Amino acid sequence: MRFPDEDDYVEAGAITRLWYRIICPFTHGSRLWMVTTSILCALAVLHSANGSWGYHGRAEDTGFLSGDFVNGVRLAWQIDAADAGLDRIDDYVARDGYLFLVGYRGSQRIAVGYDASHSTPRQLWRVDVDDEPGVHWWDGDLLVGNTLVSAADGHTTTGWPTSGVRYGISPYEHPSHTGWSSAPIGPIRLYCPDLSTGQCEAWDKTATHVWDFDASSGSFPDTTTPVDGWIPIVHADHLSRYQLTGFSSTFLRGFLNLSTGERTGIDAIKEACGPATTELDDGTTSCRITFPYIGAPPIIRAQDGWVISSGYMHAATVAPDGSNAQVVTLTQEDVTRINYLSTYPQTQASLPTTEQIVHYAATGDHSWDTTITLTEGSAIIVNDNVTLATHQQYLDILSYDASWWWAPPAISQDTSVLLIPHLKGASSSDHDLDSWHPSLINVSDAAQASTLPETSSTYRLSNDAVHGWNNLGVRSATPLYDDLIVARISPETSPWYKRLLALTSSPGDHIVGLTPAPGPMRSAR
C-alpha cells in the first residue's frame, strides 16, 4: 500500500480528492487542516472561557467566600435530572463537602448523594425514600421525609411517626392540623399526634421516642442551633403566620434542654428587668425584654448563651438555660447595631460571647473579623462603615419571623463580595412583598451605586452582581467551599450557536457548581 502521489491526486474525482486531503494533510490538504485546526482551537478556547471547567479548588470551608468571586463566576459543573437518573429534581442540599439531590423517577422518590470535592461530583449512593414532605440536614446526615440517610454510605433509618401534613419548604409550620412533625431541632424532632391537646413527642435520630413536650400554651422550641444543648422556647403568636425558621419572633417564653426535655421559664429575666420595666395602661408592669415591641430583632445566639433585645433601649444576656440574667440599657443606635446581627466567620470557635456582643452594641468595637447588620432604614451595613441601601422596607407587622424575608449572607474575608441568599421587602401593598432572587454582589460597586439619590426607586442589589451571575437565572444558592457555590439555576433559552459554543447553559433547571472567574486578562496584541 502506498500514499497517493501528485498524479493520483490530479486524476482523482472530487470525493477522492477530499479523502486524499484528509489522509495526506501535508501533501494535499494543508489548507483544509489549517482551517479545521483553527476552528477546533477556537471552540476549545470558547469552551474553556465559558463552559464547564470542573472544580479544581482547595475544597476548604473557612467560613468565608473567596474574594476571587469579585471577578465573576464560571461554571465548574452541572447536573440535570437526566444526569442524576431522575425525571425531576425537587430539592438539593449542599453541606460538609456533600451534594444531595432529591427527586422522582416515575412514582418513586429517590435521594442521590455525591462527593463534591472532585472535578465533577462523584456519586456515592442512590436510595429510595418515602414521600413524606421535607428535606433537611440533620447533624451530619440527610433527612428526607421520614427517612434518615447516612451522608457517608447511604444507609437508611426509618420509624418516625407519619404526619400526613405538608409544611412546605419550611422546617416549621404554625400548627393547624392533626398529626404534625417538625424538622430536626438539634438532636430531636417533634411529633404532635393531636394538636387539640397540645401534647407533643420528641423523637431522636434512632427513631426513638425520648421525652414529651407540652405545647398547649402555643409555645414551641426555636429552630436555631442549640447552645450547650439548650434552645429558646418562643410563642407562636397568631400573627406569626409565617414559619419559624432560624430567627425567632422574640416572644420568649422559656428555654428547653433538647437532650432531657427539661424546661425553664423566664423568671430570671423578669427579676433582673430593672430599667427595662414599663408600666402598662392598666397600671400593671411588664418587662420589655420578655414582651418586646412589634418587629423587635431576633434572639442572638452567642458562644455562652443568648442576647435578647427589646428592640428599644434595652437588652438582656442570659446563660444557655436562661439563668444568670443581666439587663443593660443602650441607646437606640446601640440597639440598631445588633439588629439581625451576623458575625463572621460563622464557626462555633469564632462565635462571640454575650459580653462581646453587648460590648459591640455599646462601642462598635468587635473581636471577630466581619459584622453584617440590617437596619430599620432598610440598609445592609458591613463592618459599620460600608452601606448597601436596599430601598426596601422590611420591619412591618407581617414580618414577625425575620427569616421569612432575610437570611444571613455569606461574605469574603476582604468584604469585596457578598452572597445574599434571599431578600423580601414590602411593596406598595400592605400584603404583597417584593422578592429578590439570590445575588452575589460586588460590595464596592453596590456601595457606590445604591446610595445615589436617583436610584432609590429603581435600584436592586442585583444590578451590581458580579460578572456572569445574572445570566444564570439563579433560584437558590449555597456556599459549599470558599471557592465553590452550589446553585439551582433556570437559564433562559439561548440561541443555538451560543449553546453550541458553550457560551450558556442548556435550557431547563440545573444544579450547578460555580467557581470564581479568573482575573482580568491582558488583551492579545
Side-chain angles (χ1 to χ4, degrees):
M1 180 179 178
R2 65 180 179 82
F3 285 103
D5 57 22
E6 188 68 25
D7 291 337
D8 294 328
Y9 180 78
V10 171
E11 295 172 0
I15 300 299
T16 304
R17 286 187 180 186
L18 178 60
W19 171 245
Y20 289 165
R21 290 180 179 180
I22 294 174
I23 65 173
C24 304
F26 300 106
T27 305
H28 307 295
S30 58
R31 291 184 179 179
L32 172 64
W33 276 85
M34 288 175 63
V35 171
T36 303
T37 303
S38 298
I39 292 174
L40 291 175
C41 288
L43 287 172
V45 170
L46 287 170
H47 188 274
S48 65
N50 301 283
S52 300
W53 272 73
Y55 174 65
H56 304 288
R58 299 189 308 272
E60 182 181 18
D61 180 12
T62 65
F64 287 105
L65 288 176
S66 168
D68 292 338
F69 274 115
V70 75
N71 297 319
V73 294
R74 67 178 178 184
L75 194 65
W77 47 258
Q78 59 181 325
I79 302 174
D80 60 18
D83 296 329
L86 302 172
D87 294 330
R88 73 173 196 255
I89 297 174
D90 294 329
D91 298 281
Y92 80 91
V93 174
R95 287 290 297 267
D96 291 4
Y98 295 104
L99 169 65
F100 308 100
L101 305 182
V102 179
Y104 279 86
R105 179 76 171 182
S107 60
Q108 178 61 56
R109 196 182 192 194
I110 294 172
V112 187
Y114 298 86
D115 180 347
S117 64
H118 300 278
S119 175
T120 57
R122 182 175 298 175
Q123 184 173 320
L124 299 173
W125 45 258
R126 178 187 181 90
V127 297
D128 294 345
V129 293
D130 63 75
D131 293 319
E132 284 289 297
V135 177
H136 306 287
W137 183 251
W138 192 359
D139 191 24
D141 294 309
L142 183 72
L143 179 67
V144 183
N146 276 342
T147 303
L148 185 68
V149 187
S150 167
D153 58 17
H155 174 76
T156 60
T157 301
T158 59
W160 289 273
T162 300
S163 67
V165 175
R166 294 197 168 273
Y167 48 82
I169 61 173
S170 170
Y172 233 122
E173 179 180 3
H174 184 68
S176 59
H177 304 284
T178 300
W180 167 84
S181 292
S182 78
I185 310 169
I188 62 97
R189 60 189 304 216
L190 288 183
Y191 172 68
C192 305
D194 184 357
L195 287 172
S196 65
T197 65
Q199 302 306 308
C200 301
E201 303 167 352
W203 292 67
D204 67 11
K205 287 186 70 175
T206 66
T208 301
H209 175 201
V210 289
W211 44 266
D212 296 319
F213 180 78
D214 183 357
S216 58
S217 65
S219 299
F220 291 85
D222 196 356
T223 55
T224 188
T225 303
V227 177
D228 292 344
W230 290 85
I231 203 161
I233 300 173
V234 293
H235 182 62
D237 191 277
H238 70 283
L239 291 176
S240 299
R241 49 182 174 159
Y242 300 128
Q243 292 82 1
L244 299 174
T245 55
F247 283 128
S248 74
S249 62
T250 68
F251 285 90
L252 181 66
R253 291 297 176 262
F255 297 87
L256 176 69
N257 187 300
L258 295 174
S259 298
T260 65
E262 180 186 355
R263 187 170 179 169
T264 63
I266 53 177
D267 292 342
I269 299 176
K270 291 181 178 179
E271 291 173 3
C273 193
T277 302
T278 184
E279 184 175 343
L280 304 179
D281 293 340
D282 61 2
T284 61
T285 60
S286 175
C287 183
R288 286 176 173 170
I289 304 295
T290 59
F291 193 79
Y293 289 99
I294 289 176
I299 298 169
I300 302 170
R301 178 174 175 264
Q303 195 172 93
D304 58 344
W306 312 92
V307 178
I308 306 107
S309 170
S310 69
Y312 178 75
M313 305 291 283
H314 302 95
T317 63
V318 296
D321 62 354
S323 63
N324 194 28
Q326 299 182 47
V327 175
V328 296
T329 300
L330 302 168
T331 68
Q332 189 59 45
E333 180 183 359
D334 297 341
V335 171
T336 299
R337 280 200 186 98
I338 56 175
N339 281 355
Y340 312 104
L341 174 68
S342 298
T343 64
Y344 300 84
Q346 292 191 323
T347 60
Q348 179 61 33
S350 303
L351 200 64
T353 64
T354 54
E355 182 180 358
Q356 288 172 330
I357 292 173
V358 171
H359 176 74
Y360 166 68
T363 66
D365 297 330
H366 55 81
S367 57
W368 52 90
D369 283 358
T370 306
T371 294
I372 295 178
T373 57
L374 182 70
T375 72
E376 290 189 29
S378 305
I380 298 170
I381 310 295
V382 180
N383 282 343
D384 298 314
N385 57 24
V386 177
T387 300
L388 309 180
T390 64
H391 306 291
Q392 295 286 292
Q393 180 61 44
Y394 308 106
L395 305 181
D396 57 32
I397 198 169
L398 296 179
S399 304
Y400 270 44
D401 173 27
S403 67
W404 193 79
W405 44 269
W406 165 255
I411 194 168
S412 61
Q413 191 164 16
D414 62 5
T415 70
S416 63
V417 64
L418 179 73
L419 174 63
I420 300 179
H422 70 264
L423 194 63
K424 295 175 184 284
S427 67
S428 57
S429 166
D430 289 338
H431 301 285
D432 296 329
L433 294 174
D434 183 17
S435 177
W436 295 2
H437 291 296
S439 289
L440 186 62
I441 305 301
N442 183 316
V443 172
S444 177
D445 290 350
Q448 294 180 37
S450 66
T451 53
L452 296 176
E454 60 268 23
T455 66
S456 60
S457 61
T458 59
Y459 182 77
R460 297 290 182 270
L461 286 175
S462 58
N463 295 0
D464 288 301
V466 301
H467 178 71
W469 182 268
N470 288 337
N471 296 333
L472 294 170
V474 177
R475 295 174 56 191
S476 61
T478 306
L480 184 59
Y481 299 125
D482 296 2
D483 53 5
L484 180 66
I485 296 173
V486 177
R488 183 169 190 156
I489 67 171
S490 298
E492 297 180 358
T493 301
S494 304
W496 66 269
Y497 60 87
K498 287 192 174 183
R499 297 197 300 272
L500 176 64
L501 299 179
L503 292 175
T504 64
S505 306
S506 56
D509 275 13
H510 305 278
I511 306 301
V512 300
L514 302 174
T515 57
M521 295 182 296
R522 288 172 294 185
S523 59
R525 297 184 63 181

